[in-house]
DNA sequence: ATGCCATCCAATGGATGA
């Protein structure tokens, strides 16, 4: 099963790039973030024509997440548990069935958190705590699951071209990185880094200041695996070429294959 | 390094992103 995550920075604005990539990469499941539209405006019929069914947790203008799948999906969950007052659409999960195999796929868009310190950073840290609680309860089931999305976390200095530029940024503050490590320490495997301990690759390049031509990128899109999913991990790829599309998202797809 | 670019909504500017 090929599972991808991609922050598309508006599904409508970048539908051409998304379509091109789906046709080339042919993933089975895709977690989309920042779709920036409400459920009714999501291009369900368009993706249906490409062979994908859609599950959407949308929001006007900001945020919004969705799952695309060639395989059947069931048991949909919208919104991260732990705060009934949270109205931001940042989490959607479903169980993907591939014959006798099942994988719980959770797509997430973790808050940016800037400026830090401040209420936005507090929200980010609280959101990570909720994600840890969610992961902890899922791990008790001893089943295969994937937490895939835009984490807005640069895990380590080698995950940024210019780490010195990020020292006071919410994506790289010590407390951010510690919270991310605590999430991993529950028993999750970060797919890309687990397979390639010293590979330098990025998943985001700012639109500004020639970040892309200078390769001034950061790696903030991750797929975390439960032990039962990690046992099945075959490969991980970051599809950097997509950043060179005409009218691209500022993020590129990250894709794994599970046996 | 301070949003230099891009998106959205709505109105020719503001909020947001990382």
């Amino acid at each position: 099963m090929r599972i991808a995550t991609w922050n598309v920075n508006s599904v409508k604005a970048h539908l051409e790039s998304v379509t091109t990539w789906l046709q080339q990469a042919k993933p089975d499941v895709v977690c989309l973030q920042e779709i920036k539209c409400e459920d009714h405006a999501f291009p369900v019929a368009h993706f249906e024509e490409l062979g994908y069914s859609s599950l959407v947790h949308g929001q006007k203008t900001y945020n919004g997440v969705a799952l695309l799948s060639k395989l059947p999906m069931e048991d949909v969950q919208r919104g991260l548990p732990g705060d009934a007052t949270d109205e931001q659409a940042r989490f959607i999960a479903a169980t993907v069935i591939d014959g006798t195999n099942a994988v719980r796929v959770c797509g997430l868009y973790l808050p940016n958190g800037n400026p830090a310190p401040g209420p936005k950073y507090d929200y980010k840290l609280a959101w990570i705590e909720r994600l840890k609680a969610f992961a902890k309860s899922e791990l008790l089931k001893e089943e295969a699951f994937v937490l895939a999305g835009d984490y807005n976390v640069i895990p380590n200095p080698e995950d940024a071209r210019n780490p010195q530029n990020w020292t006071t940024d919410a994506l790289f503050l010590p407390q951010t990185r510690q919270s991310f490590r605590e999430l991993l320490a529950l028993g999750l495997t970060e797919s890309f880094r687990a397979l390639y301990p010293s590979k330098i690759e990025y998943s985001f390049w700012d639109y500004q200041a020639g970040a892309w031509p200078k390769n001034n990128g950061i790696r903030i899109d991750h797929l975390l695996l439960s032990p039962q999913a990690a046992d099945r991990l075959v490969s991980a790829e970051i599809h950097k070429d997509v950043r060179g599309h005409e009218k691209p998202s500022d993020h590129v797809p990250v894709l794994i294959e599970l046996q």
Side-chain angles (χ1 to χ4, degrees), chain A residues 99-150:
Chain A
T100 55
N101 272 333
V103 180
R104 185 85 180 150
V105 177
C106 313
L108 62 98
Y109 175 41
L110 209 144
N112 172 305
N114 281 305
K120 292 190 173 183
Y121 192 57
D122 295 341
Y123 175 64
K124 176 177 194 157
L125 293 177
W127 209 93
I128 299 176
E129 287 306 308
R130 285 163 61 198
L131 185 60
K132 281 164 58 183
F134 174 82
K136 215 179 242 183
S137 68
E138 288 295 304
L139 283 163
L140 295 174
K141 300 175 183 171
E142 301 193 337
E143 293 171 353
F145 72 85
V146 182
L147 300 180
D150 175 359

Side-chain angles (χ1 to χ4, degrees), chain A residues 4-259:
Chain A
T5 179
W6 191 6
N7 179 324
V8 291
N9 185 21
S10 169
V11 71
K12 283 181 280 183
H14 299 128
L15 192 59
E16 210 169 297
S17 175
V18 172
T19 302
T20 301
W21 177 76
L22 283 175
Q23 289 174 332
Q24 287 172 354
K26 301 179 175 60
D28 296 298
V29 188
V30 188
C31 305
L32 299 177
Q33 300 91 39
E34 280 207 272
I35 59 171
K36 293 187 175 179
C37 67
E38 293 175 289
D39 292 13
H40 65 81
F42 191 81
V44 171
H46 175 81
F47 289 122
E48 197 69 51
E49 284 175 25
L50 298 172
Y52 293 89
S53 63
S54 303
L55 294 172
V56 185
H57 184 36
Q59 183 178 335
K60 194 176 183 178
T61 313
Y62 306 119
N63 311 315
V65 288
L67 299 175
L68 303 179
S69 179
K70 286 178 181 283
L71 298 163
M73 295 190 279
E74 53 187 46
D75 297 330
V76 189
Q77 186 176 4
R78 291 176 173 85
L80 181 65
D83 181 0
T85 67
D86 186 358
E87 294 186 345
Q88 300 190 28
R90 297 179 172 275
F91 183 93
I92 186 166
T95 301
V96 179
I97 313 293
D98 183 12
T100 55
N101 272 333
V103 180
R104 185 85 180 150
V105 177
C106 313
L108 62 98
Y109 175 41
L110 209 144
N112 172 305
N114 281 305
K120 292 190 173 183
Y121 192 57
D122 295 341
Y123 175 64
K124 176 177 194 157
L125 293 177
W127 209 93
I128 299 176
E129 287 306 308
R130 285 163 61 198
L131 185 60
K132 281 164 58 183
F134 174 82
K136 215 179 242 183
S137 68
E138 288 295 304
L139 283 163
L140 295 174
K141 300 175 183 171
E142 301 193 337
E143 293 171 353
F145 72 85
V146 182
L147 300 180
D150 175 359
Y151 279 74
N152 274 314
V153 174
I154 303 167
N156 289 299
E158 60 269 27
D159 297 311
R161 175 64 179 266
N162 297 120
Q164 70 279 5
N165 290 354
W166 298 92
T167 50
T168 61
D169 193 284
L171 279 66
F172 193 56
L173 281 174
Q175 202 174 351
T176 305
R177 297 173 56 201
Q178 182 183 330
S179 298
F180 186 72
R181 284 195 299 273
E182 288 168 0
L183 178 62
L184 293 176
L186 296 174
L188 300 174
T189 297
E190 199 254 273
S191 308
F192 181 83
R193 193 49 81 211
L195 286 174
Y196 312 111
S198 58
K199 212 178 224 183
I200 304 299
E201 286 192 33
Y202 310 122
S203 65
F204 169 91
W205 296 260
D206 202 302
Y207 289 121
Q208 301 175 82
W212 166 241
K214 287 191 280 194
N215 195 29
N216 181 14
I218 51 178
R219 195 174 68 89
I220 56 175
D221 299 273
H222 311 296
L223 295 105
L224 273 48
L225 308 179
S226 72
Q228 294 74 19
D231 287 344
R232 293 161 55 182
L233 179 63
V234 176
S235 64
E237 300 167 2
I238 300 182
H239 288 188
K240 180 179 183 175
D241 297 357
V242 172
R243 188 62 176 77
H245 282 183
E246 197 173 327
K247 210 167 185 289
S249 168
D250 39 10
H251 295 248
V252 297
V254 183
L255 185 146
I256 61 167
E257 177 163 6
L258 301 182
Q259 267 173 351

